[in-house]
Amino acid sequence: MNNKQKPYRLYLTEDQMPKQYYNLRADMKELPEPMLNPVTKKEVTVEDLLPIFCKELAKQELDNKTRYIDIPSEIREMYRIYRPSPLIRAYNLEKYLDTPAKIYYKFEGNNTSGSHKLNSAIAQVYYAKQEGIKHLTTETGAGQWGTALSEACSYFNIPLSVYMVKSSYEQKPFRKDIMRTFGADVIPSPSNTTEVGRKILKEHPNTTGSLGCAISEAVEKAVTTPNSKYVLGSVLNQVLLHQSIIGLECETAFKILDEYPDIIIGCAGGGSNLGGLIAPFMRDKIKGTHNPRIIAVEPASCPSLTRGKYTYDYCDTGKMTPIAKMYTLGCDFIPSANHAGGLRYHGMSPIISKLYYDGYMEAVSTIQTDVFKAAILFAQKETIFPAPESSHAIKVAIDEALKCKETGEEKTILFGLTGTGYFDMTAYSSYLDNTMSDYIPTDEELEKSFPNII
Amino acid sequence: MNNKQKPYRLYLTEDQMPKQYYNLRADMKELPEPMLNPVTKKEVTVEDLLPIFCKELAKQELDNKTRYIDIPSEIREMYRIYRPSPLIRAYNLEKYLDTPAKIYYKFEGNNTSGSHKLNSAIAQVYYAKQEGIKHLTTETGAGQWGTALSEACSYFNIPLSVYMVKSSYEQKPFRKDIMRTFGADVIPSPSNTTEVGRKILKEHPNTTGSLGCAISEAVEKAVTTPNSKYVLGSVLNQVLLHQSIIGLECETAFKILDEYPDIIIGCAGGGSNLGGLIAPFMRDKIKGTHNPRIIAVEPASCPSLTRGKYTYDYCDTGKMTPIAKMYTLGCDFIPSANHAGGLRYHGMSPIISKLYYDGYMEAVSTIQTDVFKAAILFAQKETIFPAPESSHAIKVAIDEALKCKETGEEKTILFGLTGTGYFDMTAYSSYLDNTMSDYIPTDEELEKSFPNII
């Protein structure tokens, strides 16, 4: 495609949409360490996972070999409601920055749930439905995953119980109500609907809840409800697998453009967006056919890659899930108030962790006032209103573009714009009103929660 | 295009985007009655309009003859950030309704401002900038227009003062803050920044403001600020002209699909979306080459077409603008609380009014609980979260599809999905909590405000 034909937003046709997920583990030179059973401390098996996950998802979780996994037509059917998502050239931002760099972003916020989470929600709900599951449970903090899952459950007609941390339930009534619009039963946690909830309420009647408690309730609800499973929106291998659709679409789009990104940037909470975005490019890097820089961006308030330890830890604060080797701040780490709620996870996807450990990628952290400054510049120039999570990637993309301005290099930058910020107006308001503060944990604070599991 | 090739969402390529606006007035057999100067009661001239509008917009307002008006490349440049907008086939809704009808919708909410208002905001700001205007003012109630204008002003780098009715300013802080994100100065009205605001505050220190007052302040601010103009987001002929891009894109898309809509449905407040959506189809109807049914949908609480009078009236409650012949409930009509804030206008576009009066289109009204019921069904099936305004059209599209189910007719239905509902969560919450009430004004109530201008 010559420059004159290149569009502002590149939409693939439906025919060009991926028909298979790409499993990066099949091409990794060294695999992530295996997950361990939290009781026996032995490598988990598919059977170990079946009380939590449906069969196909348990299989995907542990499958390190199958390079491509067919996307069932029913999943592709729902994908085509909002996919392919556009790859957009940030012409206006480039012009404003006066940079020779080309900045592209893959925009995953153009669906009602407002984020990339929907890509995996659809897959997880579909496989559960296929196996005769009649009910799903999950927990939600920031609310993006809960919203995406509500949408998918509504589409496939499966009842959903969402345990929402009580403080979020009360402070984010709109998030709650958009899930209710999609038919989900949203329960403030702790609640009277579970044993663990009743116990906590009895001991601490005025508690506003925690993510750990919400997970415990969601898991109990799944285990005690016939034909019910619990589902998760990040960290897991299966989630990164589903999110590979983001990277695969980017790969096709860059082939059409006859370009290749020199720098790939994604925000990193649990790693689901980042792992999906980079998958095919990381494959090229591992194989040595290309050598892009790949950068994970995390909040300075929750710096698992940049200041965490690479060790075995629980994936959840409730210590009920398998333990995984990953960069972690310790499953007891309580991140300070950070408006990018989706990036407040104590650990990091084992796949991303391993790739980072092996030197295939870089990581940087950034303070939130810098992130919102970048978000507002981006909104004004590109007229998309970004989620605070995504804005971490924007911040670093701008930094890299400005470096190109200094050196005169015409690098091609790609970043993942994971979602929109319509439900994060409170954070924007506090930035606009100059009442937002930054927080960086001290080494002593981090030391307190570093884990010592194995 | 054969059926197998037909996509779920049809995006035109950038090349297929319209390069000219279409002026329906040039093809109307009888023109709308001319606007009159409110003082002299004589037909307004371009000169009469210049204190309010910039020159090109004043010309467009009165131009009944030029069929096609070139869209300047700078405007098309900004359009291509979010256009072409998709024409979507509502397969899932059709399946759920079990209707033989084909339902298509043109989705105008896929931009940050969240509605079609951006189409005209961009044009108005561009023309103002071209003529050396250094500052713009407007008022906003529901906030969609203010948001769109903030986006356009940010892009073209023109300072904007938005007078926001104080009650909305306080009840909708998120709307206010998204405008601030785009750099607008948002002022709660009445304010101390104008003569009229100070006067009202002195007399009624506790008032929460009104649209009439906000308009008066915005006009005063424009008139007393050097090189400043006041801009409006609906009702005017120029606005319908800019919105014709919606209909033109639909026309091209239906040609690609090798189909033609039998029924075209749009929500109607001031008429900007409806007038734009129907423009090319109405032309065909006037010329007799096609004969689609065209249906305007308005809220039962503000029924200008279905229960108003076709007469001369002021376009604003402040009685400062030219008077126009239109369907109106009287410029003193105060609509009851209605969550579709964008449809609370007392009058109707003179073009739409004339076409309705001459029998080219139908109009229906609907109560708001029915509208929200349709909105939630639509969200669950189509996974787009619709604005309450747009949901008026959804309600009637569903009604028409169900009629087809009864008769077995395979009609093609097109409706305009003007925007998203992320800033209308309070209304959704009240519907979900069963606290939403319906209101239909009595004949006696309407009689009180019917105008008697000429």
mmCIF file of all heavy atoms in Angstrom, chain B residues 38-68:
data_model
loop_
_atom_site.group_PDB
_atom_site.id
_atom_site.type_symbol
_atom_site.label_atom_id
_atom_site.label_comp_id
_atom_site.label_asym_id
_atom_site.label_seq_id
_atom_site.Cartn_x
_atom_site.Cartn_y
_atom_site.Cartn_z
ATOM 1 N N PRO B 38 -37.027 39.117 14.179
ATOM 2 C CA PRO B 38 -37.956 39.188 15.310
ATOM 3 C C PRO B 38 -38.438 40.610 15.604
ATOM 4 O O PRO B 38 -39.479 40.790 16.230
ATOM 5 C CB PRO B 38 -37.138 38.627 16.485
ATOM 6 C CG PRO B 38 -35.714 38.785 16.087
ATOM 7 C CD PRO B 38 -35.680 38.718 14.599
ATOM 8 N N VAL B 39 -37.686 41.597 15.118
ATOM 9 C CA VAL B 39 -38.094 42.994 15.363
ATOM 10 C C VAL B 39 -38.981 43.507 14.232
ATOM 11 O O VAL B 39 -40.113 43.913 14.442
ATOM 12 C CB VAL B 39 -36.854 43.903 15.525
ATOM 13 C CG1 VAL B 39 -37.276 45.351 15.769
ATOM 14 C CG2 VAL B 39 -35.972 43.394 16.665
ATOM 15 N N THR B 40 -38.467 43.389 12.973
ATOM 16 C CA THR B 40 -39.205 43.955 11.840
ATOM 17 C C THR B 40 -40.274 43.004 11.303
ATOM 18 O O THR B 40 -41.133 43.410 10.550
ATOM 19 C CB THR B 40 -38.239 44.264 10.674
ATOM 20 O OG1 THR B 40 -37.696 43.010 10.211
ATOM 21 C CG2 THR B 40 -37.099 45.173 11.127
ATOM 22 N N LYS B 41 -40.186 41.760 11.675
ATOM 23 C CA LYS B 41 -41.080 40.717 11.163
ATOM 24 C C LYS B 41 -40.957 40.545 9.638
ATOM 25 O O LYS B 41 -41.840 40.021 8.985
ATOM 26 C CB LYS B 41 -42.555 40.957 11.537
ATOM 27 C CG LYS B 41 -42.830 41.107 13.045
ATOM 28 C CD LYS B 41 -42.885 39.761 13.740
ATOM 29 C CE LYS B 41 -43.481 39.813 15.142
ATOM 30 N NZ LYS B 41 -42.673 40.566 16.122
ATOM 31 N N LYS B 42 -39.845 41.053 9.084
ATOM 32 C CA LYS B 42 -39.581 40.846 7.656
ATOM 33 C C LYS B 42 -38.635 39.664 7.472
ATOM 34 O O LYS B 42 -37.919 39.289 8.398
ATOM 35 C CB LYS B 42 -38.934 42.110 7.063
ATOM 36 C CG LYS B 42 -39.902 43.275 7.034
ATOM 37 C CD LYS B 42 -39.564 44.243 5.910
ATOM 38 C CE LYS B 42 -40.601 45.344 5.848
ATOM 39 N NZ LYS B 42 -39.990 46.677 6.045
ATOM 40 N N GLU B 43 -38.648 39.089 6.259
ATOM 41 C CA GLU B 43 -37.784 37.949 5.955
ATOM 42 C C GLU B 43 -36.332 38.281 6.291
ATOM 43 O O GLU B 43 -35.842 39.350 5.933
ATOM 44 C CB GLU B 43 -37.936 37.612 4.457
ATOM 45 C CG GLU B 43 -37.257 36.327 4.074
ATOM 46 C CD GLU B 43 -37.617 35.876 2.646
ATOM 47 O OE1 GLU B 43 -38.671 36.285 2.108
ATOM 48 O OE2 GLU B 43 -36.829 35.096 2.080
ATOM 49 N N VAL B 44 -35.664 37.365 6.992
ATOM 50 C CA VAL B 44 -34.292 37.686 7.384
ATOM 51 C C VAL B 44 -33.354 37.626 6.187
ATOM 52 O O VAL B 44 -33.574 36.857 5.245
ATOM 53 C CB VAL B 44 -33.732 36.755 8.490
ATOM 54 C CG1 VAL B 44 -34.493 36.908 9.780
ATOM 55 C CG2 VAL B 44 -33.702 35.323 8.030
ATOM 56 N N THR B 45 -32.319 38.441 6.258
ATOM 57 C CA THR B 45 -31.284 38.466 5.228
ATOM 58 C C THR B 45 -29.986 37.950 5.845
ATOM 59 O O THR B 45 -29.879 37.822 7.074
ATOM 60 C CB THR B 45 -31.043 39.908 4.757
ATOM 61 O OG1 THR B 45 -30.601 40.667 5.905
ATOM 62 C CG2 THR B 45 -32.308 40.527 4.193
ATOM 63 N N VAL B 46 -29.013 37.677 4.975
ATOM 64 C CA VAL B 46 -27.700 37.269 5.478
ATOM 65 C C VAL B 46 -27.174 38.320 6.462
ATOM 66 O O VAL B 46 -26.641 37.985 7.528
ATOM 67 C CB VAL B 46 -26.716 37.066 4.301
ATOM 68 C CG1 VAL B 46 -25.275 36.939 4.804
ATOM 69 C CG2 VAL B 46 -27.096 35.812 3.505
ATOM 70 N N GLU B 47 -27.386 39.584 6.139
ATOM 71 C CA GLU B 47 -26.884 40.657 7.016
ATOM 72 C C GLU B 47 -27.510 40.578 8.410
ATOM 73 O O GLU B 47 -26.841 40.805 9.424
ATOM 74 C CB GLU B 47 -27.160 42.039 6.401
ATOM 75 C CG GLU B 47 -26.215 42.405 5.261
ATOM 76 C CD GLU B 47 -26.373 41.462 4.065
ATOM 77 O OE1 GLU B 47 -27.515 41.039 3.774
ATOM 78 O OE2 GLU B 47 -25.338 41.100 3.455
ATOM 79 N N ASP B 48 -28.835 40.276 8.435
ATOM 80 C CA ASP B 48 -29.509 40.141 9.734
ATOM 81 C C ASP B 48 -28.830 39.095 10.621
ATOM 82 O O ASP B 48 -28.857 39.189 11.849
ATOM 83 C CB ASP B 48 -30.972 39.676 9.535
ATOM 84 C CG ASP B 48 -31.876 40.807 9.054
ATOM 85 O OD1 ASP B 48 -31.494 41.980 9.232
ATOM 86 O OD2 ASP B 48 -32.957 40.503 8.507
ATOM 87 N N LEU B 49 -28.285 38.071 9.957
ATOM 88 C CA LEU B 49 -27.754 36.938 10.726
ATOM 89 C C LEU B 49 -26.304 37.138 11.165
ATOM 90 O O LEU B 49 -25.814 36.428 12.047
ATOM 91 C CB LEU B 49 -27.855 35.647 9.897
ATOM 92 C CG LEU B 49 -29.280 35.178 9.575
ATOM 93 C CD1 LEU B 49 -29.244 33.938 8.689
ATOM 94 C CD2 LEU B 49 -30.065 34.878 10.854
ATOM 95 N N LEU B 50 -25.622 38.107 10.567
ATOM 96 C CA LEU B 50 -24.184 38.228 10.817
ATOM 97 C C LEU B 50 -23.784 38.546 12.264
ATOM 98 O O LEU B 50 -22.708 38.129 12.701
ATOM 99 C CB LEU B 50 -23.548 39.232 9.851
ATOM 100 C CG LEU B 50 -23.489 38.713 8.405
ATOM 101 C CD1 LEU B 50 -22.773 39.722 7.509
ATOM 102 C CD2 LEU B 50 -22.791 37.357 8.324
ATOM 103 N N PRO B 51 -24.618 39.250 13.029
ATOM 104 C CA PRO B 51 -24.211 39.436 14.432
ATOM 105 C C PRO B 51 -24.121 38.106 15.192
ATOM 106 O O PRO B 51 -23.407 38.003 16.186
ATOM 107 C CB PRO B 51 -25.322 40.302 15.019
ATOM 108 C CG PRO B 51 -25.980 40.952 13.842
ATOM 109 C CD PRO B 51 -25.846 39.988 12.701
ATOM 110 N N ILE B 52 -24.879 37.092 14.718
ATOM 111 C CA ILE B 52 -24.881 35.802 15.428
ATOM 112 C C ILE B 52 -23.956 34.794 14.757
ATOM 113 O O ILE B 52 -23.174 34.132 15.410
ATOM 114 C CB ILE B 52 -26.312 35.189 15.479
ATOM 115 C CG1 ILE B 52 -27.356 36.250 15.856
ATOM 116 C CG2 ILE B 52 -26.346 34.021 16.458
ATOM 117 C CD1 ILE B 52 -28.776 35.733 15.887
ATOM 118 N N PHE B 53 -24.087 34.661 13.414
ATOM 119 C CA PHE B 53 -23.358 33.617 12.694
ATOM 120 C C PHE B 53 -22.224 34.192 11.872
ATOM 121 O O PHE B 53 -22.289 35.335 11.420
ATOM 122 C CB PHE B 53 -24.304 32.876 11.730
ATOM 123 C CG PHE B 53 -25.496 32.250 12.391
ATOM 124 C CD1 PHE B 53 -26.781 32.474 11.900
ATOM 125 C CD2 PHE B 53 -25.342 31.425 13.500
ATOM 126 C CE1 PHE B 53 -27.887 31.888 12.503
ATOM 127 C CE2 PHE B 53 -26.436 30.840 14.111
ATOM 128 C CZ PHE B 53 -27.716 31.074 13.616
ATOM 129 N N CYS B 54 -21.225 33.363 11.603
ATOM 130 C CA CYS B 54 -20.199 33.810 10.665
ATOM 131 C C CYS B 54 -20.791 33.741 9.250
ATOM 132 O O CYS B 54 -21.855 33.164 9.027
ATOM 133 C CB CYS B 54 -18.914 32.994 10.815
ATOM 134 S SG CYS B 54 -19.040 31.311 10.261
ATOM 135 N N LYS B 55 -20.101 34.347 8.300
ATOM 136 C CA LYS B 55 -20.670 34.616 6.983
ATOM 137 C C LYS B 55 -21.089 33.347 6.223
ATOM 138 O O LYS B 55 -22.204 33.252 5.706
ATOM 139 C CB LYS B 55 -19.655 35.399 6.146
ATOM 140 C CG LYS B 55 -20.303 36.274 5.103
ATOM 141 C CD LYS B 55 -19.324 37.296 4.575
ATOM 142 C CE LYS B 55 -19.948 38.067 3.409
ATOM 143 N NZ LYS B 55 -18.967 38.983 2.810
ATOM 144 N N GLU B 56 -20.196 32.377 6.168
ATOM 145 C CA GLU B 56 -20.490 31.171 5.395
ATOM 146 C C GLU B 56 -21.711 30.452 5.983
ATOM 147 O O GLU B 56 -22.550 29.933 5.246
ATOM 148 C CB GLU B 56 -19.277 30.232 5.381
ATOM 149 C CG GLU B 56 -19.500 28.887 4.710
ATOM 150 C CD GLU B 56 -19.866 28.979 3.229
ATOM 151 O OE1 GLU B 56 -19.510 29.988 2.582
ATOM 152 O OE2 GLU B 56 -20.540 28.039 2.718
ATOM 153 N N LEU B 57 -21.818 30.438 7.314
ATOM 154 C CA LEU B 57 -22.945 29.742 7.939
ATOM 155 C C LEU B 57 -24.247 30.513 7.736
ATOM 156 O O LEU B 57 -25.305 29.925 7.522
ATOM 157 C CB LEU B 57 -22.667 29.507 9.423
ATOM 158 C CG LEU B 57 -21.535 28.496 9.704
ATOM 159 C CD1 LEU B 57 -21.153 28.507 11.173
ATOM 160 C CD2 LEU B 57 -21.937 27.092 9.258
ATOM 161 N N ALA B 58 -24.173 31.844 7.761
ATOM 162 C CA ALA B 58 -25.364 32.653 7.488
ATOM 163 C C ALA B 58 -25.839 32.381 6.059
ATOM 164 O O ALA B 58 -27.047 32.245 5.797
ATOM 165 C CB ALA B 58 -25.040 34.132 7.678
ATOM 166 N N LYS B 59 -24.888 32.281 5.140
ATOM 167 C CA LYS B 59 -25.219 31.989 3.732
ATOM 168 C C LYS B 59 -25.873 30.621 3.609
ATOM 169 O O LYS B 59 -26.905 30.462 2.939
ATOM 170 C CB LYS B 59 -23.920 32.006 2.899
ATOM 171 C CG LYS B 59 -23.897 33.010 1.769
ATOM 172 C CD LYS B 59 -22.565 32.981 1.041
ATOM 173 C CE LYS B 59 -22.406 31.738 0.163
ATOM 174 N NZ LYS B 59 -21.003 31.592 -0.312
ATOM 175 N N GLN B 60 -25.277 29.624 4.247
ATOM 176 C CA GLN B 60 -25.834 28.271 4.197
ATOM 177 C C GLN B 60 -27.241 28.247 4.807
ATOM 178 O O GLN B 60 -28.126 27.530 4.336
ATOM 179 C CB GLN B 60 -24.932 27.278 4.954
ATOM 180 C CG GLN B 60 -23.598 27.014 4.270
ATOM 181 C CD GLN B 60 -22.722 26.033 5.036
ATOM 182 O OE1 GLN B 60 -23.121 25.471 6.048
ATOM 183 N NE2 GLN B 60 -21.502 25.827 4.550
ATOM 184 N N GLU B 61 -27.438 29.042 5.832
ATOM 185 C CA GLU B 61 -28.733 29.045 6.522
ATOM 186 C C GLU B 61 -29.858 29.445 5.565
ATOM 187 O O GLU B 61 -30.960 28.913 5.629
ATOM 188 C CB GLU B 61 -28.681 30.019 7.711
ATOM 189 C CG GLU B 61 -29.863 29.931 8.651
ATOM 190 C CD GLU B 61 -30.013 28.547 9.274
ATOM 191 O OE1 GLU B 61 -28.987 27.881 9.512
ATOM 192 O OE2 GLU B 61 -31.173 28.135 9.491
ATOM 193 N N LEU B 62 -29.550 30.375 4.666
ATOM 194 C CA LEU B 62 -30.604 30.918 3.802
ATOM 195 C C LEU B 62 -30.548 30.379 2.375
ATOM 196 O O LEU B 62 -31.363 30.760 1.540
ATOM 197 C CB LEU B 62 -30.506 32.454 3.788
ATOM 198 C CG LEU B 62 -30.638 33.118 5.166
ATOM 199 C CD1 LEU B 62 -30.612 34.634 5.019
ATOM 200 C CD2 LEU B 62 -31.916 32.682 5.885
ATOM 201 N N ASP B 63 -29.600 29.504 2.104
ATOM 202 C CA ASP B 63 -29.418 29.021 0.732
ATOM 203 C C ASP B 63 -30.394 27.871 0.427
ATOM 204 O O ASP B 63 -30.182 26.740 0.846
ATOM 205 C CB ASP B 63 -27.967 28.560 0.551
ATOM 206 C CG ASP B 63 -27.680 28.114 -0.894
ATOM 207 O OD1 ASP B 63 -28.651 27.880 -1.656
ATOM 208 O OD2 ASP B 63 -26.497 28.011 -1.235
ATOM 209 N N ASN B 64 -31.437 28.180 -0.315
ATOM 210 C CA ASN B 64 -32.432 27.154 -0.659
ATOM 211 C C ASN B 64 -32.166 26.523 -2.018
ATOM 212 O O ASN B 64 -32.936 25.690 -2.479
ATOM 213 C CB ASN B 64 -33.838 27.764 -0.677
ATOM 214 C CG ASN B 64 -34.283 28.188 0.702
ATOM 215 O OD1 ASN B 64 -33.893 27.578 1.689
ATOM 216 N ND2 ASN B 64 -35.100 29.238 0.773
ATOM 217 N N LYS B 65 -31.099 26.929 -2.679
ATOM 218 C CA LYS B 65 -30.931 26.553 -4.085
ATOM 219 C C LYS B 65 -29.749 25.643 -4.375
ATOM 220 O O LYS B 65 -29.837 24.758 -5.228
ATOM 221 C CB LYS B 65 -30.781 27.829 -4.929
ATOM 222 C CG LYS B 65 -32.095 28.583 -5.017
ATOM 223 C CD LYS B 65 -31.996 29.742 -5.973
ATOM 224 C CE LYS B 65 -33.304 30.532 -5.958
ATOM 225 N NZ LYS B 65 -33.062 31.941 -6.283
ATOM 226 N N THR B 66 -28.615 25.882 -3.705
ATOM 227 C CA THR B 66 -27.420 25.097 -4.042
ATOM 228 C C THR B 66 -27.596 23.657 -3.549
ATOM 229 O O THR B 66 -27.703 23.412 -2.358
ATOM 230 C CB THR B 66 -26.163 25.727 -3.398
ATOM 231 O OG1 THR B 66 -26.191 27.129 -3.660
ATOM 232 C CG2 THR B 66 -24.903 25.109 -3.982
ATOM 233 N N ARG B 67 -27.650 22.734 -4.509
ATOM 234 C CA ARG B 67 -27.965 21.341 -4.164
ATOM 235 C C ARG B 67 -26.809 20.685 -3.393
ATOM 236 O O ARG B 67 -27.028 19.995 -2.422
ATOM 237 C CB ARG B 67 -28.278 20.573 -5.448
ATOM 238 C CG ARG B 67 -28.768 19.159 -5.234
ATOM 239 C CD ARG B 67 -29.378 18.577 -6.497
ATOM 240 N NE ARG B 67 -30.736 19.034 -6.714
ATOM 241 C CZ ARG B 67 -31.139 19.834 -7.693
ATOM 242 N NH1 ARG B 67 -30.265 20.266 -8.584
ATOM 243 N NH2 ARG B 67 -32.391 20.200 -7.795
ATOM 244 N N TYR B 68 -25.594 20.885 -3.864
ATOM 245 C CA TYR B 68 -24.424 20.281 -3.214
ATOM 246 C C TYR B 68 -23.431 21.354 -2.814
ATOM 247 O O TYR B 68 -23.149 22.261 -3.603
ATOM 248 C CB TYR B 68 -23.750 19.267 -4.141
ATOM 249 C CG TYR B 68 -24.619 18.056 -4.388
ATOM 250 C CD1 TYR B 68 -25.348 17.919 -5.579
ATOM 251 C CD2 TYR B 68 -24.747 17.077 -3.409
ATOM 252 C CE1 TYR B 68 -26.172 16.815 -5.784
ATOM 253 C CE2 TYR B 68 -25.565 15.982 -3.598
ATOM 254 C CZ TYR B 68 -26.270 15.852 -4.790
ATOM 255 O OH TYR B 68 -27.078 14.765 -4.977
#
